[in-house]
Amino acid sequence: MDFKRVSVRGRMAYLLRIFENMLFFLKCEKEEWSWILEKLWQYTYIEYLDDWMYEIAEYMPVSVMEDNMNDIEYISKNELKKLKILYANSPREVNEMLIILYELGTIDLYSKLQDGSPNTLIKLREGIDIAMKMGVKLPDESEFEKYRYTDGNGWGEPFDGREISLYLS
């Protein structure tokens, strides 16, 4: 499928479904990941994507595992403890995919999207490649064709991606 015709929100939804498939493939506990997925899926329906960016930055493995997190604004101390344990016990590919998800959602955030947003397509390809190397089943691409790049200046119209989530629906 030509993801160049799918909005950035649609690409994010596709990559989130891949991530969920990866979590199932790795037999990760649903309860451990649902609250994080709830935050990630907000990308599909939040009005101001930069709000998502600032909050999710605190949830990223590199922030949780390496930063001192003295200035945390969105994560409670209890959530931070849970994330440190979760990320420390997760395979490298899970943490890599979280970073790719964040990058896909933010890489062109302060730019005018042009030529199908090649930067987000590259990030999507990186996530697909990780999943394929692991043997993770990819979602049916045709389910995402309805999220058209021609809508919302390439970002797509907001939709509640939780309805297509494997973990949250």
Side-chain angles (χ1 to χ4, degrees), residues 57-72:
E58 291 187 5
Y59 285 82
M60 288 297 98
V62 68
S63 297
V64 169
M65 302 305 282
E66 295 175 9
D67 288 352
N68 64 18
M69 301 294 283
N70 287 334
D71 298 325
I72 58 173

Side-chain angles (χ1 to χ4, degrees), residues 40-126:
L40 292 170
W41 277 104
Q42 287 177 4
Y43 190 90
T44 61
Y45 61 86
I46 197 167
E47 184 176 359
Y48 299 108
L49 293 171
D50 53 342
D51 289 344
W52 180 91
M53 176 186 73
Y54 293 123
E55 181 172 359
I56 297 304
E58 291 187 5
Y59 285 82
M60 288 297 98
V62 68
S63 297
V64 169
M65 302 305 282
E66 295 175 9
D67 288 352
N68 64 18
M69 301 294 283
N70 287 334
D71 298 325
I72 58 173
E73 188 175 336
Y74 300 98
I75 299 177
S76 70
K77 298 285 185 192
N78 187 41
E79 289 173 330
L80 183 59
K81 278 192 246 178
K82 284 173 34 179
L83 285 172
K84 282 183 185 252
I85 293 167
L86 187 62
Y87 294 163
N89 293 323
S90 294
R92 177 183 46 83
E93 294 87 353
V94 169
N95 293 335
E96 284 177 11
M97 188 67 89
L98 283 165
I99 293 165
I100 292 169
L101 280 159
Y102 180 76
E103 291 173 346
L104 185 151
T106 60
I107 197 165
D108 282 338
L109 197 55
Y110 293 109
S111 331
K112 181 178 181 199
L113 296 182
Q114 296 179 3
D115 194 31
S117 182
N119 291 328
T120 62
L121 290 169
I122 289 167
K123 291 299 167 188
L124 180 61
R125 173 51 44 198
E126 288 176 16

Side-chain angles (χ1 to χ4, degrees), residues 8 28-29 34 44 47-48 56 79 87 89 116 132 141 149 165:
V8 176
C28 294
E29 292 294 323
S34 293
T44 61
E47 184 176 359
Y48 299 108
I56 297 304
E79 289 173 330
Y87 294 163
N89 293 323
M132 290 178 66
E141 296 171 352
Y149 186 81
S165 167

